């Protein structure tokens, strides 16, 4: 716990900490040196093969964790909860969109893609949508329309994303030009959301049959409100225990990317990057001890946190 | 049996479709960025241009770019249709079968993976050479992981039923800790501990050998550390899963009956609980082979093995997209294989599945 708070505060406060060296600025007089406290601005934890101060890199590496892995894990959990919850609640046949919505959607798509006959076809479709809407308003019968196969869409997205392992998927999408932080976050969210989503979906399949959901429906609440206010909070319960684990997985993934030197520019300070320099200097025990230690401690602390949450949930 | 067959076919078919879709997606995305690829090749031919007059340099560069695009097949349109935007009006063009995607797909069906962007050589032979390293590595790790998981799981489940105690609890904690570690940290730790002049220098650090004259024993010794890293990375999940299911099985009625008849704990575990606990393990095995193939990327980079994983990592770093696409295909294929294998094993392990009419 204490360690996690330390990492978090180091990440947030990195630019204002009284560090003797700047990140990514080599000190060429001291390259790959073990820790020493003799010199006046001492390298407390030594330097790496390019003469960068290890302590500074560690602190800025924590900043990297806080600024990319943490938001990615939160976003992935959110996206996963919404997608999995919707797929589990409505299934393949539950969500019936009225004809008007379908026609309007096709019209907008036709127009935006500029398929042949752009104006007449999209106008005709929009007209059809209006007509359907008007007829629907005039007689309020049972909800009609075509069901949106939410669950099938969800499952196929999952199958597609799980066709290759996460690491390979991230590597492949990072193969292009170097990524900035927002792109990295998006990429991490893309590969991480299925985990939370399938969990919420399984839970939702159970929750939607429970009496209180039935009661909410019988009370005449709108369906989306039953979903959002009553079913979803219950289905998301186990996420509390797995969110720290998901964060740990993403930190590991991001460090692996940095270690392989893929995706980010090489001068972005990160723990994985620091460990990567170990390959040029295999005897540098201080590099392994500091960066590896920071990484391992963080991951173990997150595991502990997940266990505590799991016991409470 | 018929039902199972249909289900199996559907499962494999789905995985196959997913593999095709993801490979196509990666192919199309990568070709959108093809200008970089020609730049890569132009860099090599640049030194030829220095002898020519400066004024001609631009036209020569242009011609060279066109020649390279022609050679790599980048001059054709990308897909069956393209959407062009000129002065505000958008229009669609139909190109027929003469496009890059169609060519790639047909080549793939004939077993051609395409040409590397970096040196213009065919990729196939390079993959075959790399596979010679990766297949032994992966299968040794697979074997090690399965045997290790069975042993550790049985050991963990043995003993008093109430709670884990003593060294078993310690082992459990250790495994849980290992489970969270990323593979590269694990491999670096192993490398540091066992192949370091300052520490224990008992195993060779770098597995790749330039000469083929080496003794088999030495080559096997070089594979120890990479295989160990891979096994340690996947073992905890399997072993903990097995131990958990075994403990669950031991608390059921048939286990109590067997114990009441005077069966020893070890025999009960091996003869009665294990066959029932093996099914969840088989499901986990389906994910094992792809995980090992992905792990090979990291392990081969760290231990300098010239296998497929390192080929993929290098291709990614150098934007050599055809090699990357081949890597995606290979990984997806490994998953397909694992899935089919797991299904077959499932039918073998659980007669109830076989007997479905």
């Amino acid at each position: 716990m204490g360690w996690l708070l330390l990492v978090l505060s180091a990440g947030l406060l990195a630019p204002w900490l009284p560090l003797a060296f700047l990140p990514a600025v080599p000190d060429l007089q001291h390259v790959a040196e073990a820790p020493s406290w003799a010199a006046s601005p001492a390298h407390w934890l030594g330097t790496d093969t390019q003469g960068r101060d290890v302590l500074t890199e560690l602190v800025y590496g924590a900043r990297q964790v806080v600024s990319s892995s943490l938001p990615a894990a939160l976003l992935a959990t959110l996206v996963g909860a919404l997608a999995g919850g919707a797929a589990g609640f409505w299934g393949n046949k539950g969500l019936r969109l009225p004809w008007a919505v379908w026609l309007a959607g096709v019209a907008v798509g036709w127009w935006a893609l500029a398929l042949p006959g752009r104006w007449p076809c999209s106008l005709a479709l929009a007209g059809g949508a209006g007509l359907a809407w008007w007829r629907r308003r005039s007689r309020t019968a049972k909800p009609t329309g075509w069901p949106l196969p939410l669950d099938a869409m969800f499952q196929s997205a999952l199958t597609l994303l799980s066709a290759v392992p996460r690491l390979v998927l991230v590597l492949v999408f990072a193969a292009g030009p170097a990524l900035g932080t927002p792109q990295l976050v998006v990429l991490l969210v893309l590969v991480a959301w299925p985990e939370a989503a399938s969990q919420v979906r399984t839970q939702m399949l159970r929750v939607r049959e429970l009496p209180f959901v039935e009661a909410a429906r019988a009370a005449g609440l709108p369906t989306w409100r039953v979903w959002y206010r009553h079913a979803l909070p219950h289905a998301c319960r186990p996420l509390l225990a797995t969110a720290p684990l998901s964060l740990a997985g993403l930190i590991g993934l991001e460090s692996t990317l940095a270690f392989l030197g893929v995706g980010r520019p090489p001068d972005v300070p990160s723990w994985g990057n620091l460990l990567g320099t170990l390959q040029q200097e295999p005897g540098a025990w201080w590099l392994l001890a500091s960066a590896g230690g920071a990484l391992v401690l963080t991951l173990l602390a997150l595991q502990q946190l997940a266990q505590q949450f799991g016991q409470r949930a | 049996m018929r039902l199972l067959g249909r289900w199996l076919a559907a499962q494999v078919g789905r995985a196959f479709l997913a593999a095709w879709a993801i490979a196509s997606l990666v192919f199309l995305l990568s070709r959108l960025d093809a200008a970089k690829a020609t730049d890569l090749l132009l860099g090599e031919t640049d030194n030829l241009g220095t002898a020519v007059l400066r004024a001609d340099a631009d036209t020569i560069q242009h011609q060279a770019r066109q020649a390279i695009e022609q050679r790599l097949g980048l001059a054709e349109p990308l897909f069956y249709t393209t959407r062009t935007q000129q002065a505000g009006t958008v229009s669609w063009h139909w190109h027929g079968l003469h496009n890059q995607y169609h060519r790639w797909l047909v080549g793939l069906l004939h077993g051609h993976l395409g040409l590397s962007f970096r040196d213009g050589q065919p990729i196939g032979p390079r993959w075959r050479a790399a596979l010679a390293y990766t297949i032994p590595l992966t299968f040794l790790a697979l074997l090690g992981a399965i045997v290790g998981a069975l042993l550790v799981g049985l050991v963990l489940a043995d003993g008093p039923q109430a709670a884990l105690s003593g060294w078993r609890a310690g082992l459990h904690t250790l495994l849980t800790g290992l489970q969270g570690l990323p593979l590269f940290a694990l491999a670096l730790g192993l490398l540091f501990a066992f192949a370091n002049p300052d520490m224990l220098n008992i195993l060779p650090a770098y597995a790749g050998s330039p000469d083929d004259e080496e003794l088999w024993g030495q080559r096997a010794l070089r594979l120890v550390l990479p295989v160990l890293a891979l096994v340690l990375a996947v073992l905890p999940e399997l072993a903990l899963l097995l131990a958990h299911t075994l403990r669950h099985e031991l608390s059921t009625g048939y286990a109590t009956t067997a114990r009441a008849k005077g069966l020893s704990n070890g025999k009960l575990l091996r003869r009665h609980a294990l066959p029932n606990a093996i099914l969840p393990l088989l499901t986990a095995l389906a994910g094992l082979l792809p995980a090992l193939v992905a792990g090979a990327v990291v392990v081969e980079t760290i231990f300098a093995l010239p296998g497929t994983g390192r080929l993929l990592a290098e291709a990614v770093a150098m934007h050599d997209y055809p090699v990357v696409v081949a890597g995606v295909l290979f990984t997806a294929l490994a998953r397909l294989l694992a899935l089919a294998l797991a299904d077959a094993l499932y039918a073998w392990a659980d007669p109830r599945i076989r007997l479905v009419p």
Side-chain angles (χ1 to χ4, degrees), chain B residues 25-28 41 43-44 49 75 99 106 145 148 154 158 176 186 189 236-237 249 272 274 310-311 327 329 343:
Chain B
L25 190 71
V26 172
F27 175 81
L28 290 175
L41 273 179
E44 288 173 11
N99 61 61
V106 169
L154 281 175
D158 204 357
T176 330
L186 196 66
E237 197 193 336
E249 291 296 332
H272 295 264
L274 190 59
R310 208 170 70 146
L311 197 59
L329 274 174
D343 278 344

Side-chain angles (χ1 to χ4, degrees), chain B residues 281-314:
Chain B
L281 194 67
L282 286 182
T283 319
L285 280 183
L288 188 58
L289 196 56
L292 287 176
V293 170
V297 175
V298 173
V299 166
E300 285 172 1
T301 309
I302 291 179
F303 295 101
L305 263 171
T308 55
R310 208 170 70 146
L311 197 59
L312 182 63
E314 278 174 0

Side-chain angles (χ1 to χ4, degrees), chain A residues 165-184:
Chain A
R166 237 160 58 149
L167 177 63
V168 175
L169 200 64
V170 169
L171 269 183
V172 164
F173 281 114
L179 303 166
T181 307
Q183 287 103 315
L184 185 69

Side-chain angles (χ1 to χ4, degrees), chain A residues 62-211:
Chain A
R63 190 175 178 74
Q64 189 66 28
V65 167
V66 172
S67 70
S68 64
S69 297
L70 189 63
L74 290 178
L75 264 178
T77 311
L78 185 72
V79 171
L82 289 180
F89 190 72
W90 278 292
N92 272 336
K93 300 200 175 110
L95 189 63
R96 284 177 177 275
L97 294 181
W99 288 108
V101 175
W102 283 101
L103 283 175
V106 174
V108 169
W110 199 292
W111 190 81
L113 287 175
L115 291 172
R118 186 180 190 180
W119 286 107
C121 286
S122 50
L123 276 183
L125 282 167
L131 198 69
W133 185 250
W134 180 72
R135 282 193 49 173
R136 198 176 115 87
R137 279 187 55 177
S138 60
R139 58 187 168 91
T140 48
K142 266 179 19 177
T144 54
W146 200 263
L148 184 68
L150 262 182
D151 200 31
M153 281 157 62
F154 173 79
Q155 294 282 4
S156 43
L158 236 60
T159 316
L160 186 64
L161 284 178
S162 65
V164 286
R166 237 160 58 149
L167 177 63
V168 175
L169 200 64
V170 169
L171 269 183
V172 164
F173 281 114
L179 303 166
T181 307
Q183 287 103 315
L184 185 69
V185 170
V186 169
L187 186 58
L188 289 180
V189 168
L190 181 75
V191 298
W193 73 268
E195 210 178 332
S198 49
Q199 218 170 20
V200 173
R201 179 179 168 272
T202 322
Q203 197 71 9
M204 184 59 103
L205 287 178
R206 196 177 62 77
V207 167
R208 73 171 179 188
E209 307 294 339
L210 290 182

Side-chain angles (χ1 to χ4, degrees), chain B residues 195-251:
Chain B
N196 192 322
D198 301 335
M199 303 275 284
L200 289 170
N201 192 10
I202 49 177
L203 290 170
Y206 298 110
S209 56
D211 45 24
D212 286 0
E213 309 265 311
E214 221 177 8
L215 291 172
W216 271 100
Q218 249 171 339
R219 184 176 278 187
L221 207 61
R222 283 168 189 278
L223 270 179
V224 168
L225 272 184
V227 170
L228 190 64
L230 276 180
V231 167
L232 281 182
V234 294
L235 179 72
E237 197 193 336
L238 295 177
L240 289 177
L241 179 73
L242 183 65
H244 184 258
T245 357
L246 275 178
R247 289 191 149 259
H248 175 74
E249 291 296 332
L250 282 185
S251 65

